[in-house]
Amino acid sequence: MDRIPQELALDILSRLPIPSLVQSKSVCQDWRTLTHDQLLVNKHFKQMVENDPSFILQIMGYSIQNQLYFGDLSSDRNDGNVTMIAKKLTIPPLLNFHLVSSCNGLLLLRATHPSFELCIYNPFTRDYIELPKLSHHDGVRGFGFDPTTKKYKVVEISYKRTTPFTFSHRVVRFGMRRSHQTETSSSSLIESEVHILTVGSPTWRNLGCFPFRFMWQKSQVLVNRKLHWRTTTNLIMSFDLATEQFKEVPRPDVITSNSDRRFHELVILRGCLSAVSFDGNNQELEIWVMKEYAVKDSWVKQFNIGAYVPKIFQSNYQCHSSSNSRFYLPKNCIQVLCLLRNGGILLQYGNKAIVFYDSRCRTFQDIQVTFEGISSCFTAVAHVASLNSTDTFVDA
């Protein structure tokens, strides 16, 4: 192996999926050293950006909840067929954990452990670090890379009940306009407290309180180096990892605080911030895409996805007509995963089925997911492997 030029070896390794890349460490000492090389990691993620997104799946269930899989997805540009093979990842020695989010290949895991609650795991090197404990448990979390300090940061927003008087005196403005604080603080009895941890630091920093409550989301939305959440008041809020300030992001005109049409979820589609809403009249999911970040007029309704029942639910509920889908699959059971190279949308239904939607033909295809070590019948939470728009990768 020592006869292969390093540049060629880097190119070969950068084209491997994460499980194979980890296994390549056993080939020889030189390749083991290369797996820690910054150039290899950068090249690997550039390859991922050019291809269809990859997935990290956590299998749910009492006996197998500690299993993580890497979903290797491929789509055919000609016939539109999509396949996925899920390869088991080696996991850190934790009792129980849940996958919270990912950034640049690093995984943020929430663990059930007497000494710590959060850890960051690097599946490239199989290394993990424990993060300092924080006393709060109820809230939302985000994980991203700060390009100014070249450090990773974990954000935790926790909630506790308070009185309107106390709330109004402890609000930190975070650069928000005063009108937005008045709109929510007078009616809310929930105080959102924001903590942030720079990975490598021994303690969390308290950034103060925030006059909004965020909705929990399955996968984090990291766009333009900012984390994004939707609020209970139907707003989109961003958190800049560099300035550590919140800011409202303009939303589509069709979605307002007073309308019946609300956000179902926020997602990333080919690097663009996107919002999913539900049209109750037509029983359709609408996907709005912000073509130019933070520009209100750039919101475009790009997809309308009708009702569909995957085969696994048809057999379970003896449902053979898509017209009955609203009874068995409420909108909160459907997750928009990603936009593929061929223009199709990948969806997850009830953590039990992954479906490809062809937007041109308006047809659905159930994706057969093959797992190493378990049957194809699964309950899993799929996380799109999150990439930050930066050329720098820092080992955990």
Side-chain angles (χ1 to χ4, degrees), residues 46-58:
K46 286 180 180 179
Q47 291 282 352
M48 290 178 61
V49 171
E50 294 171 358
N51 297 317
D52 284 325
S54 299
F55 297 87
I56 303 294
L57 301 100
Q58 180 176 8

Side-chain angles (χ1 to χ4, degrees), residues 209-221:
C209 300
F210 186 60
F212 295 98
R213 184 184 178 99
F214 290 147
M215 302 294 290
W216 178 82
Q217 52 198 28
K218 288 185 177 180
S219 295
Q220 72 172 15
V221 182

Side-chain angles (χ1 to χ4, degrees), residues 128-226:
Y128 75 98
I129 60 172
E130 304 171 5
L131 303 184
K133 292 186 68 174
L134 194 62
S135 59
H136 305 92
H137 300 283
D138 181 24
V140 298
R141 297 179 178 92
F143 174 46
F145 182 78
D146 178 2
T148 59
T149 61
K150 301 191 185 306
K151 296 286 187 179
Y152 285 89
K153 293 181 177 180
V154 179
V155 181
E156 179 158 310
I157 304 166
S158 56
Y159 308 113
K160 59 181 179 180
R161 295 194 175 276
T162 185
T163 64
F165 177 81
T166 304
F167 183 77
S168 63
H169 280 73
R170 297 189 60 200
V171 168
V172 176
R173 285 184 172 81
F174 292 105
M176 298 294 300
R177 295 196 300 272
R178 189 177 184 86
S179 60
H180 287 150
Q181 297 169 22
T182 305
E183 176 185 352
T184 57
S185 62
S186 61
S187 60
S188 176
L189 293 178
I190 298 294
E191 181 178 280
S192 302
E193 194 169 23
V194 184
H195 289 81
I196 188 167
L197 175 74
T198 300
V199 177
S201 172
T203 58
W204 292 78
R205 289 180 286 120
N206 189 334
L207 299 184
C209 300
F210 186 60
F212 295 98
R213 184 184 178 99
F214 290 147
M215 302 294 290
W216 178 82
Q217 52 198 28
K218 288 185 177 180
S219 295
Q220 72 172 15
V221 182
L222 180 60
V223 180
N224 202 36
R225 298 184 174 95
K226 299 178 179 67

Side-chain angles (χ1 to χ4, degrees), residues 125-346:
T125 62
R126 298 180 183 175
D127 296 326
Y128 75 98
I129 60 172
E130 304 171 5
L131 303 184
K133 292 186 68 174
L134 194 62
S135 59
H136 305 92
H137 300 283
D138 181 24
V140 298
R141 297 179 178 92
F143 174 46
F145 182 78
D146 178 2
T148 59
T149 61
K150 301 191 185 306
K151 296 286 187 179
Y152 285 89
K153 293 181 177 180
V154 179
V155 181
E156 179 158 310
I157 304 166
S158 56
Y159 308 113
K160 59 181 179 180
R161 295 194 175 276
T162 185
T163 64
F165 177 81
T166 304
F167 183 77
S168 63
H169 280 73
R170 297 189 60 200
V171 168
V172 176
R173 285 184 172 81
F174 292 105
M176 298 294 300
R177 295 196 300 272
R178 189 177 184 86
S179 60
H180 287 150
Q181 297 169 22
T182 305
E183 176 185 352
T184 57
S185 62
S186 61
S187 60
S188 176
L189 293 178
I190 298 294
E191 181 178 280
S192 302
E193 194 169 23
V194 184
H195 289 81
I196 188 167
L197 175 74
T198 300
V199 177
S201 172
T203 58
W204 292 78
R205 289 180 286 120
N206 189 334
L207 299 184
C209 300
F210 186 60
F212 295 98
R213 184 184 178 99
F214 290 147
M215 302 294 290
W216 178 82
Q217 52 198 28
K218 288 185 177 180
S219 295
Q220 72 172 15
V221 182
L222 180 60
V223 180
N224 202 36
R225 298 184 174 95
K226 299 178 179 67
L227 295 165
H228 297 78
W229 291 275
R230 57 193 175 101
T231 72
T232 54
T233 54
N234 226 20
L235 299 177
I236 302 176
M237 301 301 300
S238 69
F239 180 80
D240 192 311
L241 289 165
T243 64
E244 298 184 357
Q245 287 195 342
F246 287 96
K247 185 177 181 180
E248 182 182 351
V249 178
R251 61 193 173 190
D253 284 331
V254 70
I255 300 177
T256 65
S257 299
N258 299 323
S259 69
D260 293 333
R261 182 169 300 183
R262 304 181 66 84
F263 289 125
H264 171 46
E265 62 177 337
L266 296 177
V267 295
I268 307 172
L269 296 183
R270 287 291 170 183
C272 293
L273 178 65
S274 304
V276 182
S277 65
F278 185 72
D279 184 348
N281 294 327
N282 300 319
Q283 293 296 311
E284 289 185 331
L285 286 179
E286 298 178 345
I287 302 180
W288 295 76
V289 179
M290 180 179 267
K291 297 293 187 178
E292 186 176 351
Y293 184 77
V295 177
K296 182 179 178 63
D297 293 339
S298 69
W299 280 107
V300 177
K301 185 170 72 171
Q302 193 161 342
F303 300 97
N304 281 76
I305 302 177
Y308 177 72
V309 180
K311 294 178 181 178
I312 187 172
F313 291 102
Q314 292 181 19
S315 59
N316 287 348
Y317 294 104
Q318 296 181 349
C319 173
H320 300 285
S321 172
S322 62
S323 64
N324 292 326
S325 61
R326 61 183 179 273
F327 298 115
Y328 301 112
L329 294 175
K331 61 181 184 299
N332 59 356
C333 291
I334 306 173
Q335 180 186 5
V336 177
L337 295 179
C338 67
L339 175 64
L340 302 183
R341 291 181 303 166
N342 59 16
I345 297 287
L346 211 63

